[in-house]
Amino acid sequence: MDVNRCLKKVLKYGVIYCICILAVAYFRIRPYTTERREAARNEYNIVYLNYESALADYEDAIEDYQKRAKQFETASIIDYNKNVSKKYDLGESIEMRATISYNLIRNGGIGNDFSYSANINGSSLSNRTQVKINLFRNNTLQITITEHDPSIDDVGEKTETFLFPLDRLNEGTINSYTIYARETRGRGAGESAEFNVTLTLEPVRKIDLTSNRYVKSKFTESRPTKPTKPLLPTEKDFTISDIFANDVAFHTICEILALIFLVRIVLFARHSIIEARREQERLRKMEQEKEQREIERAEFIKELSGQSIRDFCKVPTNISFTQDNLPKDNNNRIYGSYTVYISRSGTKYHRKCGCSSANIPYHLFRVQSRGYAPCARCCPPNGDLPQWYRDYIAMLEKAKRLDVQS
Ligand SMILES: [Zn+2]
């Protein structure tokens, strides 16, 4: 098989292989793609609905959290106040004497015609004004400082809210605030006067908070945790890429089979190519050898130039040859003068028949190659084979090889 045919075969198998794989993939995937796309979409919709409700929950939760966080900031005071309130029945508010003082710290040249006003929970303050202070709710303090100008007054305002600390019920409180009155127009625009305002609250009457009855409540509530916002699900999480997830085993087997198939094709192709090359090489060699032989044959025939091989090798005329091409002369022994004798168990050959009871006739040219050594008593040393015999044998072999009649 030549290489091209082999490659064609491989190509054919390769195409069949690809078609098989594609067909399997197509028939496996097609029902899934629509079905699973639908499923993925439904799944996504469900998750999206969950997300929406989670988002709504989150919005409620964050609102709740903000309330609770604010509560947390004031919870200890409120808790504490409630405790006190139960024990002493303080009511919602208490009367306090409020004193407010204004101290000019620095005047950036905005004038000196100041007037002041302040109120707590709407009640305006002057010296030692008796005001109602809320015990469980915020109190609002408003302060206004005005510098009177001919055209437009310079005003500094501040609104503060505070919870009254009930552990100061019998001591009262002193709070300081910094207020700036600013000039917004005219020569001194941007300049300001800085005031330190001090609010003093004194109890109107003392409350007997004896230590054995006065228990400060413990603050147990922990800081509320901020709810986390749910994440918008992405369609990416519900793609059809999970189609195969349920079929991993099936696909693994398919892939292994396909791989084995592919390996087999590759091995087959490799084997075929090697075989084809070997065959080609063999044919080429045979062709070469044949040509060579033709040349040699022509040369051989030319060399013989019509003589017989026997004549060409100058074989003596009294020599004839046995069927094994062993020479024999006209001496009356079996191989003529080339006859020697061996015994069945001996290791020597003999010229003389019966020497050391050797009486099996043997050809002289064969004894050495069969491992026999000459008998010291009856054998002269055995010389080389005669040149004509060696030539004759070589020529015979060559004639046989080149298919020339001898
Ligand atoms: Zn002998």
Side-chain angles (χ1 to χ4, degrees):
M1 196 194 300
D2 66 27
V3 176
N4 276 346
R5 256 180 68 198
C6 177
L7 286 178
K8 269 179 196 164
K9 203 157 186 176
V10 169
L11 201 67
K12 200 173 88 187
Y13 276 122
V15 168
I16 291 170
Y17 168 75
C18 288
I19 288 170
C20 287
I21 292 296
L22 286 177
V24 167
Y26 178 73
F27 286 113
R28 284 303 297 180
I29 291 166
R30 202 177 64 145
Y32 279 107
T33 42
T34 38
E35 225 171 82
R36 289 300 296 254
R37 262 203 195 108
E38 195 66 33
R41 207 171 294 132
N42 288 342
E43 216 171 301
Y44 174 78
N45 288 343
I46 289 164
V47 170
Y48 188 79
L49 286 178
N50 287 343
Y51 161 76
E52 277 190 327
S53 89
L55 194 64
D57 287 350
Y58 166 76
E59 275 156 13
D60 289 349
I62 196 87
E63 208 176 300
D64 181 56
Y65 161 76
Q66 279 161 353
K67 275 184 200 160
R68 281 173 52 217
K70 203 172 179 184
Q71 246 177 9
F72 174 81
E73 299 303 331
T74 53
S76 81
I77 296 166
I78 288 170
D79 235 24
Y80 172 68
N81 289 352
K82 275 180 187 160
N83 205 333
V84 172
S85 142
K86 266 183 208 158
K87 279 190 183 334
Y88 300 102
D89 194 21
L90 288 169
E92 290 292 310
S93 58
I94 194 167
E95 292 287 326
M96 287 261 169
R97 277 194 195 91
T99 306
I100 191 153
S101 62
Y102 307 91
N103 303 306
L104 179 61
I105 304 294
R106 181 184 54 78
N107 191 342
I110 63 161
N112 275 311
D113 189 7
F114 291 107
S115 72
Y116 315 99
S117 73
N119 70 73
I120 288 181
N121 301 329
S123 307
S124 54
L125 303 179
S126 56
N127 202 21
R128 289 174 70 79
T129 313
Q130 202 161 312
V131 289
K132 267 187 180 171
I133 299 294
N134 296 321
L135 292 177
F136 311 121
R137 283 179 290 125
N138 274 327
N139 294 284
T140 310
L141 167 68
Q142 283 181 316
I143 305 165
T144 308
I145 298 173
T146 312
E147 199 281 314
H148 298 278
D149 276 346
S151 52
I152 292 170
D153 298 340
D154 309 325
V155 182
E157 277 184 314
K158 189 153 202 161
T159 303
E160 287 280 339
T161 56
F162 64 91
L163 274 163
F164 187 83
L166 288 209
D167 55 348
R168 305 285 303 173
L169 270 177
N170 285 335
E171 289 83 9
T173 59
I174 301 172
N175 286 310
S176 294
Y177 309 98
T178 302
I179 296 182
Y180 297 92
R182 285 182 200 283
E183 181 145 347
T184 52
R185 305 184 179 201
R187 276 182 304 120
E191 292 296 341
S192 65
E194 183 185 343
F195 284 87
N196 186 11
V197 180
T198 310
L199 172 69
T200 310
L201 294 172
E202 296 165 278
V204 174
R205 57 189 164 84
K206 298 267 180 182
I207 295 163
D208 180 20
L209 298 171
T210 50
S211 61
N212 60 341
R213 293 180 64 196
Y214 181 81
V215 179
K216 188 172 177 179
S217 68
K218 211 173 177 187
F219 180 60
T220 51
E221 199 177 331
S222 58
R223 180 175 285 276
T225 46
K226 196 173 180 177
T228 46
K229 198 173 181 179
L231 290 172
L232 179 71
T234 54
E235 295 225 29
K236 205 174 69 188
D237 301 333
F238 300 93
T239 55
I240 56 165
S241 63
D242 62 341
I243 282 170
F244 297 107
N246 295 337
D247 283 321
V248 171
F250 173 80
H251 282 271
T252 306
I253 290 166
C254 278
E255 273 149 34
I256 288 169
L257 287 178
L259 205 67
I260 291 168
F261 189 40
L262 195 66
V263 167
R264 284 206 59 160
I265 286 177
V266 169
L267 288 180
F268 169 77
R270 204 169 144 256
H271 178 76
S272 302
I273 288 170
I274 289 170
E275 277 295 297
R277 282 208 184 123
R278 225 174 251 165
E279 180 68 12
Q280 254 180 351
E281 184 64 17
R282 204 177 61 84
L283 288 175
R284 201 181 58 78
K285 235 176 210 167
M286 261 173 68
E287 198 63 34
Q288 220 173 19
E289 271 170 18
K290 204 177 157 192
E291 269 173 38
Q292 187 63 34
R293 225 172 54 164
E294 283 306 314
I295 292 166
E296 274 181 52
R297 190 167 188 271
E299 274 173 6
F300 185 68
I301 290 168
K302 196 177 160 193
E303 197 181 3
L304 282 177
S305 58
Q307 304 171 68
S308 69
I309 290 170
R310 193 194 154 93
D311 291 346
F312 183 81
C313 296
K314 299 188 171 62
V315 175
T317 46
N318 63 332
I319 297 293
S320 59
F321 289 95
T322 67
Q323 275 185 334
D324 300 336
N325 288 324
L326 291 168
K328 171 190 174 177
D329 58 18
N330 39 19
N331 187 305
N332 57 5
R333 291 183 187 176
I334 184 165
Y335 297 121
S337 319
Y338 301 107
T339 310
V340 291
Y341 298 92
I342 57 169
S343 67
R344 212 171 285 280
S345 54
T347 56
K348 304 252 163 134
Y349 67 90
H350 308 267
R351 268 287 177 201
K352 222 175 125 187
C353 180
C355 178
S356 303
S357 61
N359 47 21
I360 302 166
Y362 218 72
H363 199 284
L364 177 65
F365 290 177
R366 277 191 169 168
V367 281
Q368 266 179 329
S369 61
R370 297 291 160 99
Y372 292 99
C375 168
R377 277 181 290 160
C378 67
C379 277
N382 191 13
D384 288 335
L385 297 179
Q387 186 60 43
W388 57 261
Y389 174 71
R390 282 186 287 169
D391 287 350
Y392 179 74
I393 295 299
M395 284 302 262
L396 269 189
E397 272 171 16
K398 201 172 177 182
K400 195 178 168 196
R401 185 166 63 82
L402 298 178
D403 198 21
V404 176
Q405 289 296 314
S406 51

